[in-house]
Amino acid sequence: MRRKQVGFAAALFAVGVIALTACGQGAAQSGSASPATEQAQETQATAEQSDVDFLRGSANSNKADQNTGDRAPATASPEVKQKWVELRVANAGGLEPAVVNGKGLSVYWFSDDPVKGGVSNCNGDCAKTWPPITVTKGTKLFFPGIKRENIGFIKRQDGATQVTIGGRPIYLFSKDEKAGDIKGQNVGNKWFVINPEGKRAVAPAEAPATQPAPPAPGAKPANSVTFFTGKNFDDFSGDNFATGVKVEPKCADLRGGFKSLTADGAVKIWSEPGCKGKSAVVTDDVADTAPLGFPDGVKSYIRA
């Protein structure tokens, strides 16, 4: 897998502190979010600031330590929990596409946070109910299904660096207990499950039908691809698993059908072994091969 290091985006705070409303827990509950400035802007990090590692594929396919990061015990230290963070496309309680973390827990945005405003308005007790997703120096960030340009960072009131999607700071909900829970959805009409573009995740029936974009002309050939047996890059539930492969200019078969993939360039996929059957060229992550005409998944591939 190819590793790219990028700097965090820091937040510069402008003048004019505003009082916050409740932490979205409903009209009857006052909440205790701490105030933050409204006009802050994201800026480029300085060379002295820490870096995060963006890695293609998933936590499993990159062999992340299962006792750290998103799957660390609740009692683990912040340093252990920030070893790695995964943000993947998934179905969250019937909402799809939605973003979940490496444990499958739903990821939320808060309507009181200004989009691309560079601040979080959920601090203090609010942040205990809605833990922000944060990173630190050396954190490995896996993001299958999310465009790199949609991911950013802000500085929180306590100095921590929080991840954003589409310019919106992102959070978990303390009452969600397992993958698929969306108990925080629409709480106080302020909290919503987020989609990969930083918008509100909706049920598939409500979402407009979309097809994967065609490959860009002149796209570079892929060097590596990670194939997943489950759609939505799922390699941690049931018998699902992933396999990372080096892509060569000759046909290669997969053992079985793989229903999603992440690629670092153009790759041609086939519905049958031996590069036979239906084919398609893809240059980006594919969360579900069915819309491409691969209901049984990809069974062979070749460098495009």
Side-chain angles (χ1 to χ4, degrees):
M1 298 294 173
R2 184 163 59 90
R3 174 175 296 188
K4 297 183 291 185
Q5 288 195 331
V6 298
F8 287 145
L12 295 178
F13 290 91
V15 181
V17 177
I18 60 170
L20 295 181
T21 58
C23 189
Q25 302 297 321
Q29 186 170 339
S30 63
S32 55
S34 300
T37 56
E38 188 173 301
Q39 300 296 324
Q41 298 178 355
E42 290 181 315
T43 63
Q44 293 297 319
T46 66
E48 290 76 27
Q49 290 176 310
S50 303
D51 289 339
V52 61
D53 291 339
F54 280 77
L55 298 177
R56 299 200 66 84
S58 64
N60 283 358
S61 66
N62 280 281
K63 297 181 173 56
D65 186 340
Q66 300 299 293
N67 295 312
T68 66
D70 289 349
R71 297 175 199 168
T75 55
S77 68
E79 292 77 15
V80 170
K81 292 179 179 179
Q82 291 179 326
K83 289 289 186 181
W84 59 268
V85 170
E86 182 174 64
L87 300 169
R88 73 162 75 214
V89 174
N91 181 305
L95 307 178
E96 187 179 356
V99 177
V100 302
N101 77 349
K103 200 174 179 179
L105 296 176
S106 302
V107 175
Y108 298 85
W109 60 275
F110 183 31
S111 65
D112 280 4
D113 290 341
V115 182
K116 298 182 180 179
V119 296
S120 165
N121 283 325
C122 179
N123 298 282
D125 288 343
C126 177
K128 295 178 182 177
T129 301
W130 302 92
I133 295 178
T134 59
V135 291
T136 190
K137 181 176 182 176
T139 297
K140 294 179 173 63
L141 179 57
F142 311 108
F143 57 109
I146 302 174
K147 292 185 180 298
R148 167 64 190 88
E149 57 265 29
N150 287 340
I151 301 175
F153 307 93
I154 63 167
K155 278 292 183 185
R156 290 184 53 77
Q157 198 175 76
D158 61 4
T161 301
Q162 184 172 2
V163 184
T164 67
I165 295 179
R168 298 183 185 276
I170 55 175
Y171 309 81
L172 300 174
F173 184 44
S174 61
K175 295 183 180 179
D176 282 347
E177 299 174 329
K178 62 183 184 304
D181 282 354
I182 52 171
K183 297 176 183 177
Q185 176 70 352
N186 207 29
V187 167
N189 200 30
K190 290 179 178 289
W191 293 90
F192 308 97
V193 176
I194 200 165
N195 77 5
E197 297 179 347
K199 300 176 182 178
R200 184 173 179 173
V202 297
E206 303 173 45
T210 59
Q211 292 288 336
K220 68 172 185 176
N223 290 311
S224 63
V225 179
T226 301
F227 291 98
F228 301 83
T229 51
K231 73 173 189 174
N232 292 325
F233 320 101
D234 182 3
D235 61 353
F236 67 95
S237 65
D239 296 326
N240 290 344
F241 65 95
T243 181
V245 299
K246 183 178 180 181
V247 186
E248 304 284 357
K250 59 181 180 180
C251 183
D253 289 345
L254 292 163
R255 295 183 179 180
F258 289 75
K259 297 183 178 179
S260 57
L261 62 99
T262 66
D264 66 356
V267 60
K268 191 169 186 178
I269 54 176
W270 302 80
S271 63
E272 301 298 334
C275 290
K276 297 179 181 178
K278 184 176 179 60
S279 66
V281 176
V282 297
T283 58
D284 207 347
D285 296 355
V286 177
D288 184 1
T289 60
L292 290 176
F294 295 72
D296 296 323
V298 179
K299 297 183 180 178
S300 57
Y301 60 93
I302 191 172
R303 181 181 293 176

